[in-house]
């Protein structure tokens, strides 16, 4: 079905679109080169209430719904995917986890400054030997009086260096597999907590990705998020929301690639006419636009289900799977339309192509999404 947006959703979408293209877009290519963390972009987003979008006003958030959030996130991704991924992890995973599982003390101490954008959040689940299978993680958290002592290494953590607050999963019961995992809120500067060197990545270069190292890191027991053994549930719940965010980022980058291709095709002349006159190019553009719209509808459907408080796990995986693979196809077509110019950094499609590649990998690979979707279908759970 075609979604009819509310006046508030339209207003938020329009506001973020204008802001992103006027303020964020002009520096995106330079950030890709310098790898400068987009701290100023995030501050401006916070000033607009976009760093705590789905957090209720009583915790200093904007109280927006998920549909408005994904529309806003897609516009930030259109301008700068590296800024969008920081915004996505911060909103979808960190803020929402503390909102749903945190104590009132944790919400006062951490959620409020996160929602105001005074803190930037990260989520540390992946480890060197635990990616798609988080039950294999080795980071431990041993109770010692009124503290837990954390030891271990987390890998590929978005915003790992620049985050002020990190939600960390660790084994409190090594024999319990996924039921032995707990979650903790760890503040930057805690003794025994450090970040590794920045990863040299193919894309999303202005978003830092690092190891996080815990060496006898003492975390107050009051910083445990939820009960012992709830860490896996917290992570999987957060990733459902995060996967809608990946779909939104994919839609944003794909639309930027399509717009760049349309503009180039109208200007570039070969054989005495703009290449937009050639059927081969026109059909590529038609396919790109169709796939983007299909992904957008899946994104909106999953977000609307979340707003209605329905189980949206399968729809989130469908949206993430289709949109992330779509953006890789669309950016490849965009580069092809640009020909040799698409292969050089003067044109933004080269960056779109690199930025898009990780969307099928992080927050659950395409293969994991297919596992989730097929499990729900084969268990006769209603998905359509």
């Amino acid at each position: 079905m075609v979604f009819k947006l509310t006046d508030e959703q339209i207003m938020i979408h329009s506001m973020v679109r204008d802001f992103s293209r006027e303020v964020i877009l002009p520096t995106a290519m330079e950030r890709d080169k310098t790898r400068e963390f987009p701290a100023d972009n995030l501050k401006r987003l916070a000033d607009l209430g976009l760093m705590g979008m789905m957090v209720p006003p009583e915790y200093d958030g904007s109280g927006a719904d998920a549909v408005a959030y994904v529309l806003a996130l897609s516009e930030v991704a259109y301008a700068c995917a590296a800024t969008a991924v920081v915004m996505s992890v911060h909103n979808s995973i960190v803020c929402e986890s503390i909102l749903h599982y945190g104590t009132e003390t944790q919400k006062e101490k951490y959620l409020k400054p996160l929602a105001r954008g005074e803190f930037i959040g990260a989520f540390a689940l992946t480890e060197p030997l635990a990616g798609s299978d988080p039950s294999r993680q080795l980071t431990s958290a041993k109770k010692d009086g009124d503290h837990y002592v954390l030891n271990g290494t987390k890998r590929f953590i978005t915003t790992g260096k620049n985050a002020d607050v990190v939600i960390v999963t660790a084994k409190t019961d090594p024999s319990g597999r996924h039921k032995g995992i707990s979650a903790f809120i760890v503040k930057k500067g805690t003794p025994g907590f450090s970040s590794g060197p920045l990863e040299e990545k193919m894309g999303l270069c202005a978003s830092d990705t690092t190891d996080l190292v815990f060496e006898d890191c003492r975390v107050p027991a009051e910083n445990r998020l939820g009960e012992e053994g709830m860490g896996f549930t917290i992570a999987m719940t957060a990733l459902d929301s995060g996967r809608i965010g990946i779909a939104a980022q994919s839609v944003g980058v794909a639309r930027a690639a399509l717009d760049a291709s349309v503009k180039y095709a109208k200007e570039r002349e070969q054989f005495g006419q703009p290449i937009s006159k050639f059927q081969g190019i026109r059909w590529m553009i038609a396919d790109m636009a169709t796939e983007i719209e299909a992904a957008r509808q899946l994104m909106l459907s999953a977000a609307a289900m979340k707003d209605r408080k329905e189980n949206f796990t399968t729809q989130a995986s469908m949206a993430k799977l289709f949109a992330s693979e779509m953006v890789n196809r669309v950016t490849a077509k965009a580069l092809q339309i640009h020909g040799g110019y698409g292969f050089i950094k003067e044109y933004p499609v080269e960056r779109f192509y690199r930025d898009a590649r990780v969307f099928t990998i992080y927050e659950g690979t395409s293969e994991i999404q297919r596992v989730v979707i097929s499990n729900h279908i084969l268990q006769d759970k209603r998905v359509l």
Side-chain angles (χ1 to χ4, degrees):
M1 72 179 191
V2 177
F3 280 83
K4 181 174 175 57
L5 301 178
T6 66
D7 290 343
E8 181 180 6
Q9 290 163 350
I10 293 170
M11 179 191 71
I12 292 172
H13 186 200
S14 177
M15 180 268 289
V16 179
R17 181 184 61 230
D18 293 345
F19 169 81
S20 295
R21 298 188 191 192
E22 292 171 10
V23 177
I24 297 178
L25 180 60
T27 62
M29 289 185 73
E30 184 63 23
R31 287 185 190 283
D32 180 69
K33 295 176 184 177
T34 64
R35 302 175 183 264
E36 179 187 358
F37 184 72
D40 51 345
N41 285 348
L42 299 171
K43 185 179 184 306
R44 297 288 295 273
L45 290 172
D47 291 342
L48 294 173
L50 301 177
M51 296 301 283
M53 283 195 71
M54 293 175 289
V55 176
E58 57 263 36
Y59 297 115
D60 295 345
S62 300
D65 59 21
V67 169
Y69 166 67
V70 295
L71 291 170
L73 181 59
S74 68
E75 290 299 341
V76 175
Y78 181 105
C80 176
T83 299
V85 68
V86 179
M87 175 184 169
S88 181
V89 171
H90 177 95
N91 272 280
S92 302
I93 299 183
V94 180
C95 286
E96 284 213 70
S97 293
I98 298 175
L99 175 64
H100 295 312
Y101 295 98
T103 64
E104 285 302 316
T105 299
Q106 290 169 347
K107 291 174 185 178
E108 285 288 329
K109 189 173 182 180
Y110 299 109
L111 182 57
K112 283 188 173 182
L114 283 163
R116 294 192 296 264
E118 296 168 5
F119 291 169
I120 301 298
F123 191 85
L125 175 67
T126 300
E127 296 188 5
L129 298 178
S132 294
D133 181 8
S135 67
R136 291 194 65 196
Q137 64 185 268
L138 299 177
T139 298
S140 64
K142 295 183 178 180
K143 190 77 179 293
D144 181 20
D146 59 356
H147 283 72
Y148 286 86
V149 181
L150 271 62
N151 280 285
T153 299
K154 296 293 182 177
R155 179 140 296 170
F156 302 141
I157 306 305
T158 298
T159 326
K161 179 181 178 181
N162 287 283
D164 302 284
V165 174
V166 183
I167 296 177
V168 182
T169 60
K171 283 282 187 75
T172 46
D173 178 7
S175 65
R177 289 183 57 79
H178 67 278
K179 293 183 179 179
I181 299 171
S182 301
F184 302 87
I185 302 171
V186 184
K187 188 81 167 58
K188 185 178 184 178
T190 302
F193 170 32
S194 61
S195 60
L198 296 179
E199 299 288 355
E200 296 284 336
K201 300 180 297 183
M202 174 189 291
L204 302 179
C205 296
S207 161
D208 63 291
T209 301
T210 65
D211 280 0
L212 296 181
V213 181
F214 300 89
E215 299 174 299
D216 292 330
C217 178
R218 295 180 63 83
V219 177
E222 65 184 22
N223 278 30
R224 189 187 66 221
L225 187 61
E227 300 299 322
E228 276 200 9
M230 285 186 64
F232 183 81
T233 297
I234 291 170
M236 294 304 104
T237 302
L239 287 174
D240 281 347
S241 295
R243 286 164 181 167
I244 306 177
I246 302 300
Q249 294 169 61
S250 299
V251 168
V253 172
R255 284 182 50 243
L258 174 62
D259 286 354
S261 298
V262 169
K263 181 176 183 293
Y264 181 83
K266 288 180 176 179
E267 295 172 349
R268 173 70 167 171
E269 291 192 2
Q270 291 289 274
F271 305 104
Q273 61 182 331
I275 64 172
S276 62
K277 297 291 185 181
F278 295 108
Q279 186 180 70
I281 300 296
R282 297 173 77 89
W283 283 11
M284 289 171 73
I285 288 172
D287 287 344
M288 292 161 73
T290 301
E291 287 206 68
I292 292 169
E293 181 59 22
R296 182 175 181 272
Q297 292 298 320
L298 280 168
M299 171 193 81
L300 291 172
S301 175
M305 288 184 70
K306 181 183 177 186
D307 286 334
R308 295 193 300 267
K309 302 190 185 307
E310 299 173 10
N311 186 318
F312 63 95
T313 295
T314 304
Q315 279 69 21
S317 285
M318 287 178 171
K320 200 268 187 188
L321 171 64
F322 184 82
S324 64
E325 296 200 342
M326 171 278 298
V327 71
N328 277 275
R329 292 190 293 267
V330 165
T331 53
K333 285 185 172 72
L335 197 151
Q336 191 71 17
I337 289 170
H338 280 72
Y341 290 107
F343 198 65
I344 61 175
K345 293 182 181 294
E346 179 184 351
Y347 286 78
V349 291
E350 181 269 347
R351 171 168 54 91
F352 301 154
Y353 185 78
R354 289 185 290 105
D355 285 346
R357 188 60 192 88
V358 76
F359 292 160
T360 62
I361 298 172
Y362 66 3
E363 294 191 32
T365 63
S366 289
E367 292 70 31
I368 288 296
Q369 305 316 312
R370 291 183 170 97
V371 169
V372 172
I373 295 163
S374 62
N375 281 347
H376 278 71
I377 293 172
L378 293 170
Q379 290 169 11
D380 293 325
K381 293 186 178 180
R382 187 177 181 86
V383 296
L384 299 175

